[in-house]
Amino acid sequence: MTGRKRDDDGTGHGHSADRAYAIIRSGLLRDEWPAGTRLLETELARRIGVSRTPIRDALRRLVNEGFLEYAANVGCRVRGWGRNDIDSIFDLRIELETYAARRAATRIRPGEIRQLTELCDAMEAVVERSLGLPELRDELTPLNDRFHTVITEAAGNARLTPVLASVTFAPMVLRTFRRYREEEVMRSMGHHRELVSALESANADWSAAVMRSHIHAGYVAMMRDAVFEIEP
């Protein structure tokens, strides 16, 4: 019987592709490669310790998520972001996440309220540890992503979840917490707590209003002193 194909690191191809994706994505979020930089499969394969096949799969996934762009005869390059890109992303987030919060208010289950409360606790613990150390705020990103995903899933619209994921996981959005001033971080945490209260009260108007304010506040933090990688 033929066993599952192993990659250079001794693991299956699927695991290697996931690991390559995570490593490259992490580097992109840390601005390890400036906009326009070509990412070469051979160099990445040598660095990560896998063959080119999982690297190719990881790059394809990052192109689909908007981190990279592909051009014929050039390959994959780090995507640049301009003001129009950011404006478009936040315009979509405001409308879609407000809609999600409104729907979730009348559909959310007690277990999901508990999840949101636990995520608030975890995020506030990170904030306490990161006072004066903005680089530690990267730990907020997966917790914040999960918080918003729980609300989106609670809205009960299967088509909404993948659409919102493609917007909220845009690279420039994921870097937002590093731009926050400390008072803005605290305000964001307050919005999260108020959202939980509004959702638990099944008040659709309140939930939508808090979410709209929350996204607008994120936009202000994102745009303040922003240096765009491409001209608008």
Side-chain angles (χ1 to χ4, degrees):
M1 180 181 294
T2 302
R4 183 181 178 186
K5 183 179 179 181
R6 315 295 286 181
D7 214 308
D8 298 354
D9 61 355
T11 62
H13 168 72
H15 175 79
S16 296
D18 288 342
R19 188 166 70 87
Y21 164 81
I23 291 171
I24 299 168
R25 183 177 183 272
S26 177
L28 290 165
L29 290 175
R30 294 194 309 272
D31 294 324
E32 187 171 332
W33 299 285
T37 302
R38 288 182 62 196
L39 297 187
L40 302 178
E41 292 178 8
T42 51
E43 291 182 4
L44 291 169
R46 183 167 53 251
R47 169 179 167 176
I48 297 171
V50 297
S51 70
R52 291 176 63 182
T53 301
I55 294 295
R56 192 173 300 120
D57 289 348
L59 294 178
R60 186 180 300 116
R61 186 173 169 186
L62 290 162
V63 168
N64 291 337
E65 292 180 358
F67 285 85
L68 306 175
E69 56 188 1
Y70 176 82
N73 302 319
V74 175
C76 291
R77 296 183 300 193
V78 178
R79 181 177 177 179
W81 294 81
R83 183 179 184 118
N84 287 341
D85 294 310
I86 306 305
D87 285 348
S88 297
I89 287 169
F90 275 89
D91 284 348
L92 285 169
R93 286 193 67 196
I94 287 167
E95 298 306 320
L96 294 175
E97 294 206 60
T98 298
Y99 167 77
R102 182 179 295 280
R103 280 181 60 92
T106 56
R107 294 169 173 82
I108 197 163
R109 298 185 295 269
E112 290 166 324
I113 291 292
R114 284 195 297 274
Q115 285 185 62
L116 293 175
T117 300
E118 290 168 0
L119 287 164
C120 284
D121 292 341
M123 284 187 280
E124 288 167 5
V126 172
V127 169
E128 186 174 351
R129 291 198 307 273
S130 66
L131 290 176
L133 299 168
E135 64 276 9
L136 296 184
R137 293 184 197 151
D138 288 349
E139 297 177 36
L140 286 172
T141 298
L143 298 170
N144 182 69
D145 292 345
R146 183 58 193 155
F147 183 91
H148 285 265
T149 299
V150 170
I151 295 173
T152 302
E153 291 174 347
N157 184 329
R159 294 180 182 274
L160 181 62
T161 302
V163 172
L164 252 176
S166 68
V167 174
T168 56
F169 291 124
M172 291 298 289
V173 176
L174 290 172
R175 300 174 193 157
T176 302
F177 278 117
R178 289 197 182 197
R179 295 178 180 270
Y180 276 36
R181 295 170 178 163
E182 289 187 0
E183 64 269 22
E184 291 171 331
V185 175
M186 300 306 295
R187 181 170 59 213
S188 181
M189 298 302 104
H191 285 158
H192 288 158
R193 288 290 185 184
E194 189 175 359
L195 268 168
V196 175
S197 296
L199 292 165
E200 191 171 21
S201 300
N203 189 314
D205 288 341
W206 184 14
S207 300
V210 178
M211 182 64 84
R212 183 174 291 273
S213 294
H214 183 57
I215 304 302
H216 274 295
Y219 174 80
V220 170
M222 179 80 244
M223 300 301 287
R224 188 186 54 249
D225 303 323
V227 177
F228 296 108
E229 295 163 343
I230 59 176
E231 291 299 319

